[in-house]
Amino acid sequence: MATKEQSFSVSPTGEKFPIPERADYSVEYDRIAQLIAKNRADGREIVAVLGVGFVGAVMAAIVADTKDGSGKSSKFVIGVQRPSTRSFWKIHLLNRGESPVKAEDPEVDPMIRRCVIEKKTLVATYNEDVLKLVDCVVVDVQCDYLKESLGDLQTGRTDMAALEKSFGTIAERIPPECLVLIETTVAPGTTEQVAYPQFKKIFRKRGITSEPLLAHSYERVMPGREYVKSIRDFWRVCSGVNETAKKRVVTFLNEVLNTKDYPLTVLDRPIESETAKIVENSYRATILAFLDEWSLFAEQNGVDLVKVIKAIKMRPTHSNIIFPGPGIGGYCLPKDGGLGMWAYKHILGWKDNIFKITPAAININDTRALRVAEMTRDALRNMDRPIAAAEVLLLGASYREDVGDTRYSGSELIVRKLTEMGAEIRVHDPYVDHWWEFEAQDSYPSAEYNLKRFFRNQEKLSTLTVSHDLLTSLNDVDAIILAVRHSHYMDLAPDDVVKSIGKPAAIIDCFGMLDDSKIRRYFELGCEVKGLGRGHVNRIKKAAKR
Ligand SMILES: NC(=O)c1ccc[n+]([C@@H]2O[C@H](COP(=O)([O-])OP(=O)(O)OC[C@H]3O[C@@H](n4cnc5c(N)ncnc54)[C@H](O)[C@@H]3O)[C@@H](O)[C@H]2O)c1
């Protein structure tokens, strides 16, 4: 995480790294060039991975871990990362053999260490000029969708700045025959209508007459315990702008991924591969959003949506119906549909508005968490405690169970709304050390696009800390919100919880985490229980009172 100073990049553990100066660049270039020459002489293909964030860092290690048929390392990988104050520290960590991303997958750390320290097939650099020396570039930089208002996707726009800049950086440097594999989730049309013309123009200026070899293949990586497997041992879709690019990308992916067990799907054109990614994620965002209205229906009519879903799932055709938690987070689902909608107008040139379901789904998912704040207010009201000044403990900050990734988590919105309503917030999450969305709320993810701007009274949240000590966190709270299905929370016994709190409290279940016997016990202990989609709690309350 960067500080506001311009000349240093500070890692999440507080290590400070000076941003390189002009004079450092040539020394760094020589260092990498020598390594490349040695590895090329040893018969290795030279691959650059641009952007060593959540995806690029692990993808770089997977490529660097590749062996040929005789068991010899066949790729030398250079992680190329811009030396921004926010991200420069990642280069130093990687070069020490440490992962720049905190991963719950036990395979990540040893794999990075093995490739950097033992095999010496992975290095990282800030000097983009090394792209002059590579055979293949994998692009893993971000492409964000910036929302201008809460719950209205239509007013947002795609932020292609980092991506377009990296296309220029690559095109100005690579050898003409270098394969450029775009893995970033992009607005459909980007490879053929944004990258290709940009490459052609720059190639022409450089006097290169051959066609740029551009390909697209999107990542389906899932943070969590199967981080590496979700890249290496998982199905891939790919395509290229011409037959050569297509052949090259198929060869590359066959070499670095386990395509024997997870075969590749090769599509005719990059726009099809790009669209596949957007449709895949919009579909998932939609089936989650679909249950939001039924969740309300259930709450208002004595229905337990958790049991309803379980009953429906017995039918094989409906096995992927999923209970939506308090908001649909992660980096991809909240934005990808927006990229498609934006591309239709701003890359592909249509003026009509054909998108109804995709934006509606994202809008619903983006505001579902507000219901949790209402529910907390109402549960406390039933206990004659006002929400203003109530002490509320949020259990879980990340966007899904048993990971530490907080990007666009529903929990963030819960905290912001409850703070606006005057509540005092405590947070516990065993996987999260820093909740940057609050700690750096004026600069992360960027100065003008933090969710902070949609709520009042948010300033004090800059000092919000995340506790790893559940017992202390519970002490004397008025309400607890079970927001994420972390394994740590699934077996909490009502008697222990209420004993640790020291008094009855409001218990809000956002994710179907309480079974009926626990709900009943909380009522017996004098607590108030409410839950998303859990309309049957009042029945249990009446029975407990009897
Ligand atoms: N994180 C996920 O779970 C996930 C899953 C599937 C797909 N994706 C997609 O993968 C892509 C990358 O996502 P991420 O999570 O790794 O993002 P990230 O923000 O963690 O990483 C991007 C990195 O690229 C660097 N960068 C930006 N511009 C650069 C440039 N010009 N040169 C060099 N480096 C540059 C940034 O500093 C950053 O370190 C996105 O398109 C995302 O949608 C992500």
Side-chain angles (χ1 to χ4, degrees):
M1 186 57 45
T3 62
K4 285 201 180 85
E5 297 168 68
Q6 282 310 296
S7 51
F8 284 94
S9 172
V10 183
S11 78
T13 54
E15 258 189 284
K16 247 175 145 181
F17 300 100
I19 300 291
E21 300 191 354
R22 239 17 281 171
D24 302 323
Y25 277 68
S26 59
V27 181
E28 176 70 354
Y29 182 83
D30 291 345
R31 177 179 86 91
I32 303 290
Q34 274 175 22
L35 291 171
I36 290 177
K38 183 182 173 310
N39 278 280
R40 198 181 284 292
D42 287 345
R44 299 198 177 100
E45 187 183 24
I46 312 298
V47 180
V49 175
L50 202 68
V52 288
F54 280 85
V55 175
V58 182
M59 180 63 185
I62 287 171
V63 179
D65 212 28
T66 307
K67 295 184 209 130
D68 62 17
S70 61
K72 192 172 159 268
S73 294
S74 57
K75 313 269 179 212
F76 178 67
V77 180
I78 309 137
V80 182
Q81 167 66 54
R82 62 184 175 180
S84 60
T85 50
R86 201 170 119 185
S87 294
F88 178 58
W89 57 269
K90 295 175 189 170
I91 295 173
H92 284 269
L93 262 67
L94 261 178
N95 282 333
R96 293 199 309 226
E98 294 168 26
S99 171
V101 290
K102 191 171 171 264
E104 290 74 27
D105 183 347
E107 217 186 323
V108 172
D109 290 344
M111 181 186 247
I112 290 181
R113 202 175 320 119
R114 178 168 70 242
C115 293
V116 176
I117 309 287
E118 290 161 31
K119 295 181 164 186
K120 300 197 189 304
T121 51
L122 176 60
V123 287
T125 185
Y126 54 87
N127 192 335
E128 293 152 343
D129 282 343
V130 302
L131 295 174
K132 290 177 188 163
L133 308 171
V134 304
D135 304 309
C136 169
V137 184
V138 180
V139 182
D140 279 324
V141 309
Q142 72 276 22
C143 177
D144 290 319
Y145 187 82
L146 301 173
K147 294 172 187 168
E148 296 288 355
S149 42
L150 187 64
D152 186 1
L153 193 73
Q154 302 273 6
T155 55
R157 66 179 168 86
T158 298
D159 179 6
M160 304 256 293
L163 191 64
E164 286 186 288
K165 190 160 179 283
S166 44
F167 290 156
T169 303
I170 300 166
E172 280 155 15
R173 291 168 177 80
I174 52 165
E177 66 285 357
C178 175
L179 172 71
V180 179
L181 165 55
I182 300 166
E183 288 199 326
T184 300
T185 304
V186 292
T190 295
T191 305
E192 287 154 281
Q193 302 207 29
V194 179
Y196 179 80
Q198 204 177 336
F199 272 76
K200 274 296 263 189
K201 210 165 124 190
I202 295 173
F203 270 22
R204 211 174 296 127
K205 265 198 200 148
R206 291 177 58 197
I208 300 168
T209 49
S210 59
E211 284 291 299
L213 300 178
L214 304 181
H216 182 262
S217 175
Y218 58 91
E219 282 287 356
R220 285 167 163 157
V221 55
M222 285 290 285
R225 293 196 66 79
E226 309 239 296
Y227 212 130
V228 172
K229 282 204 175 98
S230 71
I231 297 181
R232 186 190 55 208
D233 304 305
F234 213 66
W235 298 270
R236 272 285 186 125
V237 178
C238 67
S239 191
V241 290
N242 52 40
E243 281 312 307
T244 314
K246 214 183 278 178
K247 268 198 201 121
R248 287 277 300 274
V249 74
V250 168
T251 305
F252 179 75
L253 293 175
N254 278 333
E255 284 168 356
V256 300
L257 305 179
N258 176 10
T259 53
K260 195 163 96 9
D261 297 320
Y262 301 90
L264 281 178
T265 303
V266 186
L267 295 177
D268 288 345
R269 290 178 53 195
I271 192 174
E272 288 167 336
S273 163
E274 295 164 340
T275 304
K277 170 69 180 185
I278 301 297
V279 174
E280 191 171 307
N281 278 350
S282 299
Y283 168 70
R284 202 162 164 86
T286 303
I287 54 172
L288 284 155
F290 163 70
L291 279 183
D292 180 64
E293 61 203 31
W294 289 108
S295 177
L296 263 180
F297 174 91
E299 286 158 32
Q300 290 163 350
N301 295 288
V303 171
D304 182 9
L305 190 68
V306 173
K307 294 195 199 85
V308 168
I309 287 178
K310 212 168 154 200
I312 296 170
K313 266 170 130 34
M314 295 300 286
R315 190 179 158 175
T317 51
H318 288 50
S319 60
N320 69 351
I321 187 166
I322 10 178
F323 185 90
I328 313 306
Y331 185 42
C332 298
L333 262 54
K335 74 168 168 58
D336 288 356
L339 297 177
M341 206 178 68
W342 181 88
Y344 182 72
K345 280 193 180 163
H346 299 285
I347 294 183
L348 304 164
W350 302 92
K351 70 172 183 331
D352 56 339
N353 187 10
I354 56 170
F355 288 103
K356 295 182 179 61
I357 294 171
T358 299
I362 292 179
N363 293 341
I364 289 167
N365 293 340
D366 281 356
T367 49
R368 178 164 162 84
L370 299 176
R371 174 94 190 103
V372 179
E374 290 175 0
M375 223 171 224
T376 312
R377 175 200 64 199
D378 295 349
L380 283 167
R381 183 205 55 215
N382 291 355
M383 301 178 83
D384 293 323
R385 296 183 202 170
I387 183 74
E391 293 274 349
V392 179
L393 171 64
L394 178 84
L395 295 180
S398 63
Y399 85 91
R400 65 186 279 258
E401 70 273 15
D402 297 325
V403 304
D405 190 342
T406 56
R407 293 190 287 178
Y408 304 105
S409 75
S411 296
E412 180 184 350
L413 214 65
I414 298 174
V415 170
R416 295 206 177 278
K417 187 66 194 169
L418 282 172
T419 300
E420 185 175 80
M421 290 156 79
E424 296 294 329
I425 308 292
R426 295 180 204 173
V427 182
H428 175 273
D429 193 307
Y431 297 96
V432 177
D433 297 325
H434 293 275
W435 200 348
W436 295 117
E437 283 80 351
F438 293 107
E439 240 180 83
Q441 62 177 348
D442 294 317
S443 60
Y444 182 86
S446 74
E448 66 278 46
Y449 289 107
N450 193 287
L451 285 178
K452 175 187 173 203
R453 71 198 198 283
F454 300 126
F455 299 90
R456 67 180 192 98
N457 286 348
Q458 302 291 296
E459 279 63 34
K460 67 176 179 189
L461 290 172
S462 307
T463 57
L464 190 74
T465 53
V466 182
S467 168
H468 291 181
D469 176 357
L470 186 56
L471 273 187
T472 314
S473 303
L474 283 166
N475 185 35
D476 205 31
V477 289
D478 295 300
I480 64 172
I481 300 176
L482 292 154
V484 186
R485 293 176 67 93
H486 287 328
S487 44
H488 305 67
Y489 305 144
M490 299 308 286
D491 295 327
L492 289 176
D495 287 83
D496 296 342
V497 170
V498 175
K499 197 167 154 226
S500 303
I501 296 173
K503 64 185 184 195
I507 313 291
I508 312 298
D509 179 5
C510 303
F511 234 132
M513 292 161 75
L514 300 176
D515 62 23
D516 289 0
S517 64
K518 281 188 184 157
I519 294 172
R520 186 185 172 108
R521 187 63 192 144
Y522 275 121
F523 279 125
E524 288 167 356
L525 291 165
C527 297
E528 179 69 13
V529 184
K530 285 189 179 290
L532 290 176
R534 313 218 67 186
H536 71 312
V537 289
N538 285 332
R539 261 200 325 273
I540 301 179
K541 186 177 179 177
K542 275 189 201 137
K545 276 199 178 145
R546 273 204 299 274

